Amino acid sequence: PTSSTNVSTMEESITTTSIRVETFVDDVGRRISTFRPSKNAMCSGKIIAYDDGSDTHTICFEDDGRVEEMTLDSYRLLGTLVVTSNKKQIRRNQSVAEAEESCPPKKRRLDKREEAIPEVAETKLIRTVSDNKVRKNKTLSVKRVEDVQEGDRIASDFDGTVYFGQVEEVKIGPSKGKDREYLFVVLFDDGDCFVLDSSDMGRALKLYEACKRFEKNDPEIQNKIDNMEKDFNKEKQEIMRQLPDEMKRQFLQIGFARLDAKSGYKPVIFLSPYDVFYPVRTPWLGQFKRATDPQKVPRIVYWYGADVENAFSIVNANNCLSYNKARKKGVAELPKDILQKIKRRKTLSKSEEKLYHSWKQIEGDIDKAPADRIRFEKPKEDHELVQSGNRLFMEIEAELGRLTYTCDVISS
């Protein structure tokens, strides 16, 4: 690690919330966003315990403070920043020197599928043979460190295993020319977030280019991508075949839904499971496979006026109404108290204002073609990401825990 005063100042500005330990319970204490069955919505909370025997997490949810035990099919880590193994955790208002004395080194996270690895005596990042092979390879066209931008993909070697990630933030020191220092905040696909310096980033860029070259030279790569697309389409066709016709007719249609019998109806767009991201699709598939009555298959809805992070819910079919049925029941209109406030030009509360704007959105969407009503970027499937060049095939395999190549093989 550099001892530059300017870089030290930059490091001090980075706030970290936790350091992960080296077993699966390392997510205890972390903030996450996950689907909450009791609310039928994506909710944020903190993992406060994990039972390895039953594979259940205990979560304290932020919206109501309630604690629930549940098996997490999928979730997204929130608000956590950790550092590479040759740096220390730096807390707010703490100098680098203080961090060196008080903070333990970062231990690499182990996924469930991995075997425990022996503890390494050195705290510095392990330099494997593959690093040297990549560094000596002069045929690679590698992006310069100073040209790295937010959104760039990289690959890092952890004990011979390739981990892929994305640059989230670039911090540039005040010096100019060759003395300019860089720090890169990288979010890895397994949820860990690392701070890399220029030398670490240089190796990460070279390894990613080595992965691209390895994949380009693979004579079977196109067949692998084609098989990925065939497997996806086969699964999708089978799922869609089993869905009731009434549900399929609702896709991308405006309607109304409620979370339970005690809550009021609110405007929504009914979505196909293939309109939404995996954190929503995965728990829906679990409920779909457990449904015994085809007519009671749960619906996926997008709530008008909600932030994208909390806009999707899985709702019981009995709590959903088409737009015409909602009009007949008298729920397809703004509450009278809001209408009275608007008429008298009184200030609306935040929740009332949110509901009012959702109704304005409906007025703009009602005459649109169904496909034009989606108010979020429709996710690309794995094979589409590879075909478009946004991901390598091996990046998808690594995320699914199926990557069999080691860094030595890729870099050879």
Side-chain angles (χ1 to χ4, degrees), residues 162-372:
V162 185
Y163 281 78
F164 294 96
Q166 181 168 302
V167 178
E168 295 293 308
E169 186 178 358
V170 179
K171 296 178 180 291
I172 304 176
S175 302
K176 295 183 179 180
K178 295 182 179 180
D179 295 330
R180 173 165 285 184
E181 293 288 346
Y182 296 83
L183 290 177
F184 304 89
V185 179
V186 178
L187 178 64
F188 282 84
D189 296 341
D190 69 349
D192 272 347
C193 194
F194 285 59
V195 177
L196 306 185
D197 60 20
S198 296
S199 59
D200 287 333
M201 178 54 67
R203 284 185 292 274
L205 291 172
K206 289 176 183 177
L207 181 56
Y208 190 75
E209 288 301 322
C211 292
K212 290 169 67 175
R213 182 196 59 180
F214 181 86
E215 195 159 289
K216 183 178 180 180
N217 294 334
D218 183 357
E220 294 297 319
I221 188 61
Q222 191 55 53
N223 289 335
K224 293 176 181 178
I225 298 172
D226 292 342
N227 288 334
M228 177 187 285
E229 182 175 7
K230 289 177 182 177
D231 291 342
F232 168 78
N233 288 329
K234 182 179 179 180
E235 178 188 273
K236 179 180 178 180
Q237 290 172 5
E238 180 60 23
I239 295 295
M240 297 297 284
R241 184 187 65 81
Q242 298 178 55
L243 297 181
D245 292 337
E246 180 187 359
M247 179 178 179
K248 288 186 280 191
R249 285 194 295 268
Q250 284 185 326
F251 290 159
L252 300 181
Q253 298 299 317
I254 296 172
F256 288 80
R258 60 184 181 180
L259 291 175
D260 51 52
K262 296 180 180 179
S263 57
Y265 284 98
K266 293 181 180 179
V268 299
I269 297 177
F270 295 107
L271 299 175
S272 159
Y274 297 94
D275 289 328
V276 295
F277 304 90
Y278 279 107
V280 181
R281 186 189 303 172
T282 300
W284 178 87
L285 283 171
Q287 294 188 33
F288 164 71
K289 291 175 182 178
R290 292 192 293 269
T292 55
D293 184 350
Q295 299 304 315
K296 293 184 178 180
V297 174
R299 307 302 198 250
I300 301 175
V301 301
Y302 168 88
W303 302 100
Y304 271 101
D307 297 331
V308 173
E309 188 174 292
N310 301 306
F312 305 95
S313 291
I314 301 173
V315 181
N316 191 304
N318 295 331
N319 290 324
C320 297
L321 296 173
S322 67
Y323 186 78
N324 289 333
K325 287 184 178 179
R327 291 186 65 181
K328 290 179 181 178
K329 289 179 69 75
V331 299
E333 57 186 25
L334 272 172
K336 293 182 179 179
D337 55 342
I338 296 181
L339 290 173
Q340 288 293 328
K341 280 189 174 183
I342 295 172
K343 186 177 180 180
R344 297 174 183 176
R345 297 184 178 181
K346 290 187 175 181
T347 303
L348 299 177
S349 66
K350 288 185 178 181
S351 59
E352 291 172 337
E353 188 174 351
K354 192 174 183 179
L355 186 58
Y356 172 72
H357 283 300
S358 68
W359 278 92
K360 298 298 289 185
Q361 290 176 353
I362 288 180
E363 291 177 4
D365 285 356
I366 199 72
D367 294 326
K368 287 183 180 180
D372 295 333

Side-chain angles (χ1 to χ4, degrees), residues 49-171:
Y50 171 68
D51 185 343
D52 188 42
S54 60
D55 192 24
T56 57
H57 291 75
T58 303
I59 304 169
C60 179
F61 287 98
E62 296 173 356
D63 56 345
D64 55 11
R66 292 190 177 182
V67 176
E68 296 182 13
E69 284 189 0
M70 56 193 294
T71 299
L72 295 176
D73 293 318
S74 61
Y75 57 95
R76 186 165 63 85
L77 297 171
L78 299 175
T80 302
L81 187 67
V82 293
V83 296
T84 53
S85 56
N86 65 332
K87 298 188 189 312
K88 305 295 182 179
Q89 182 187 22
I90 302 172
R91 302 183 186 278
R92 188 182 297 275
N93 298 325
Q94 184 182 42
S95 68
V96 177
E98 292 172 333
E100 290 286 337
E101 294 178 359
S102 63
C103 296
K106 167 73 170 64
K107 293 182 179 179
R108 184 174 71 79
R109 178 188 182 215
L110 287 180
D111 292 329
K112 277 184 174 180
R113 63 178 182 272
E114 299 182 66
E115 298 293 333
I117 47 178
E119 182 130 2
V120 180
E122 297 182 356
T123 60
K124 64 182 181 180
L125 188 66
I126 300 172
R127 312 302 185 196
T128 64
V129 176
S130 62
D131 283 326
N132 295 326
K133 289 179 180 178
V134 174
R135 187 161 48 249
K136 292 178 180 178
N137 193 318
K138 298 180 180 180
T139 63
L140 296 178
S141 176
V142 181
K143 177 179 284 192
R144 298 187 306 172
V145 169
E146 54 266 33
D147 295 332
V148 173
Q149 300 177 353
E150 294 178 8
D152 286 351
R153 299 288 296 175
I154 61 99
S156 280
D157 177 354
F158 288 90
D159 303 335
T161 301
V162 185
Y163 281 78
F164 294 96
Q166 181 168 302
V167 178
E168 295 293 308
E169 186 178 358
V170 179
K171 296 178 180 291

